[in-house]
Amino acid sequence: MTTPNAQQASSYTPLDLEGVRTFLATLPAIAARLGGTPDAWRVWEVSDGNLNMVFLAEGPQGSVCLKQSLPHVRVDPSWKMPLDRTFFEAAYLRAVFPHVPDLTTECLHFDAEQFILIVPGLSGHTVMRTAMMAGHFYPSVAAQVGDFVARSTFATSLLAEPFERIMDRRICFARNQTLTRITVDLVLTDPYHDHPRNHWADQQITPIVDALRASPAVQARSDSLRLRFLSAPQALLHGDLHTGSIMTDGTDTRIIDGEFATYGPIGFDAGLFSGNLILSLFATPDRAGQALHLDMIQTFWTSFKKGFLALWQDREWAEDRSTLYYATTDKSTQNFEKSLFIQNIFQDTVGFCAAEIIRRTIGYAHVADFSVLTDPSLRTTRQKAALLFAKDCLEQKKPLKSLADFLELLYLHMSAL
Ligand code: SR1
Ligand code: MG
């Protein structure tokens, strides 16, 4: 796929409901998937995220989801933005779908003039965050997301492919600079400084914000996470793997919304997902629900690690060994190198998890999870606890070397609730 020049899309028009119907009718394969005649299709808007317009269309035979970029942030029209994000989402789906066909959606069509992406509709699925806010917690979904991160990142890393293919893909995704800038600013920079985009719900949170900003260890770690995000192109990342980017019916789970895709450290995807599980944990009123979250965090990491190492092992057994970067035949050296690699991903995961918790509580884009707590003082207590946990993760006064260390720290912060 050639990167489009978004500024040259002169015929671009944002679609309304009737425009969606007309557009879909011009695409024979999509019209056949929906079945019947266009006037019989039900078309409705389901835009939910911060950036784009999203529509569903349903016909007698099936459904599709149509996503169109706007020339600005959907929730803030004064924040202008180029249109090319749906191009990168389409490119992401084309790169990873062959490796995770059961865990994401296929790109059925991309229109480079209108910046429209079409994927199959997911009827019967609910956004994972919405499901969790309604009290449905799924360890099986956590295992599936771990598997998704393992398969999508391994397949697009130097461990799986010749460097020439990786470099070509990096060239493509290196152009996703608008959304990479959002991540660098909103996730990894703004919360650690005074910035007009930051906000938080209650003044009682302010002393923790001040403490975060006054902590040399937090400042140093956030600086190194920013550098790591931009300078460790280990694999093609989803780039925004929060629980709003996951749809599930409890059995079938699909990761959507890969518009932030870029090459980066694998722990970024793992960290964002873990961070969102932990935000949901702190927003969960009861101990039983919290315990299920601990299961999900553990299950996610275990599934990721097991899946990643299994793929690595399979790769070593493959006949073509010419692109193996860890090709020593000495088993114990190999195992040592692999454990170091996973340990590095774990350290990144802890750091990006903490960064996600912090930015979703005091940055520009918050999570809805805490709105289930109707008592404002309980909501503040829980948000403060989440922030203090994240602060400890960044400071690591006691090193977090393993999942057990990480869970022990989490447990400590939960027991204070
Ligand atoms: C202006 S975009 C704000 C946030 O929404 C997206 O989903 C990403 O998480 C981004 O950081
Ligand atoms: Mg999104």
Side-chain angles (χ1 to χ4, degrees):
M1 278 176 115
T2 317
T3 315
N5 182 344
Q7 311 310 334
Q8 287 172 0
S10 53
S11 69
Y12 167 84
T13 319
L15 298 184
D16 58 11
L17 292 179
E18 274 320 296
V20 169
R21 187 190 306 280
T22 308
F23 182 82
L24 294 174
T26 65
L27 304 171
I30 302 293
R33 179 178 275 264
L34 292 169
T37 52
D39 56 329
W41 299 341
R42 185 163 92 91
V43 180
W44 70 107
E45 191 198 330
V46 290
S47 313
D48 180 34
N50 291 317
L51 295 177
N52 310 297
M53 297 298 291
V54 184
F55 301 90
L56 288 177
E58 194 176 65
Q61 304 289 331
S63 66
V64 295
C65 172
L66 181 150
K67 184 169 182 176
Q68 186 177 34
S69 311
L70 291 169
H72 53 77
V73 171
R74 186 181 71 86
V75 297
D76 179 1
S78 71
W79 188 340
K80 305 298 175 205
M81 193 166 273
L83 297 162
D84 55 5
R85 52 200 182 271
T86 39
F87 164 84
F88 291 107
E89 182 166 345
Y92 178 72
L93 289 179
R94 285 173 177 160
V96 302
F97 182 77
H99 308 286
V100 280
D102 51 332
L103 290 169
T104 190
T105 53
E106 185 178 8
C107 171
L108 298 175
H109 183 80
F110 174 68
D111 186 293
E113 288 279 307
Q114 298 302 327
F115 292 91
I116 286 172
L117 166 68
I118 300 176
V119 297
L122 291 172
S123 45
H125 289 58
T126 310
V127 173
M128 185 183 183
R129 190 186 311 283
T130 311
M132 292 206 296
M133 286 170 65
H136 305 297
F137 310 121
Y138 306 107
S140 61
V141 177
Q144 288 165 320
V145 180
D147 197 26
F148 173 85
V149 176
R151 283 154 60 189
S152 60
T153 60
F154 186 87
T156 55
S157 77
L158 282 164
L159 300 174
E161 288 190 320
F163 78 84
E164 290 87 347
R165 291 194 59 182
I166 303 285
M167 297 292 189
D168 281 346
R169 209 180 293 112
R170 277 173 57 187
I171 288 168
C172 168
F173 286 94
R175 298 299 321 159
N176 196 6
Q177 291 176 10
T178 302
L179 296 200
T180 300
R181 166 55 68 191
I182 286 188
T183 300
V184 169
D185 288 351
L186 269 55
V187 185
L188 301 169
T189 308
D190 292 357
Y192 304 94
H193 306 276
D194 200 10
H195 193 286
R197 280 192 290 241
N198 295 326
H199 60 105
W200 47 94
D202 189 323
Q203 286 314 306
Q204 288 188 52
I205 291 175
T206 309
I208 300 179
V209 178
D210 293 342
L212 276 169
R213 293 179 184 168
S215 162
V218 168
Q219 290 295 332
R221 187 77 181 116
S222 75
D223 285 350
S224 70
L225 285 168
R226 200 177 319 113
L227 201 59
R228 181 101 181 118
F229 176 67
L230 292 170
S231 61
Q234 287 179 325
L236 182 59
L237 307 180
H238 175 281
D240 196 25
L241 192 50
H242 57 83
T243 48
S245 298
I246 297 164
M247 298 199 66
T248 187
D249 64 9
T251 307
D252 184 77
T253 296
R254 305 281 161 163
I255 284 75
I256 60 167
D257 268 5
E259 62 200 324
F260 282 77
T262 189
Y263 264 78
I266 295 167
F268 186 80
D269 275 356
L272 258 56
F273 181 63
S274 309
N276 278 269
L277 289 182
I278 290 168
L279 286 159
S280 172
L281 183 160
F282 279 104
T284 297
D286 60 286
R287 287 282 182 221
Q290 292 168 10
L292 282 171
H293 280 80
L294 287 177
D295 276 359
M296 282 193 283
I297 294 158
Q298 186 155 13
T299 301
F300 164 69
W301 176 257
T302 309
S303 156
F304 161 73
K305 182 175 161 183
K306 190 166 162 235
F308 196 91
L309 287 173
L311 288 165
W312 201 340
Q313 183 66 77
D314 287 351
R315 185 71 194 83
E316 279 160 2
W317 283 331
E319 275 175 27
D320 174 16
R321 297 172 56 85
S322 61
T323 58
L324 288 186
Y325 292 92
Y326 288 72
T328 168
T329 46
D330 177 58
K331 256 287 160 272
S332 73
T333 313
Q334 252 183 35
N335 288 339
F336 179 69
E337 292 297 336
K338 285 180 180 176
S339 70
L340 274 185
F341 195 93
I342 296 290
Q343 178 59 28
N344 279 337
I345 297 177
F346 181 72
Q347 282 307 318
D348 287 342
T349 300
V350 172
F352 291 118
C353 164
E356 176 71 354
I357 293 170
I358 291 168
R359 75 94 171 206
R360 292 293 191 185
T361 314
I362 65 167
Y364 174 81
H366 292 190
V367 286
D369 304 54
F370 288 96
S371 66
V372 301
L373 301 172
T374 47
D375 172 0
S377 87
L378 180 61
R379 211 182 303 143
T380 300
T381 305
R382 295 301 188 82
Q383 289 183 327
K384 283 165 70 180
L387 281 173
L388 288 172
F389 168 71
K391 182 169 179 280
D392 274 359
C393 286
L394 293 182
E395 289 179 330
Q396 292 212 26
K397 285 180 183 143
K398 184 175 172 224
L400 303 174
K401 292 190 177 147
S402 63
L403 180 65
D405 294 342
F406 181 72
L407 292 175
E408 191 185 310
L409 181 68
L410 184 53
Y411 200 73
L412 194 75
H413 283 267
M414 285 167 59
S415 57
L417 294 177

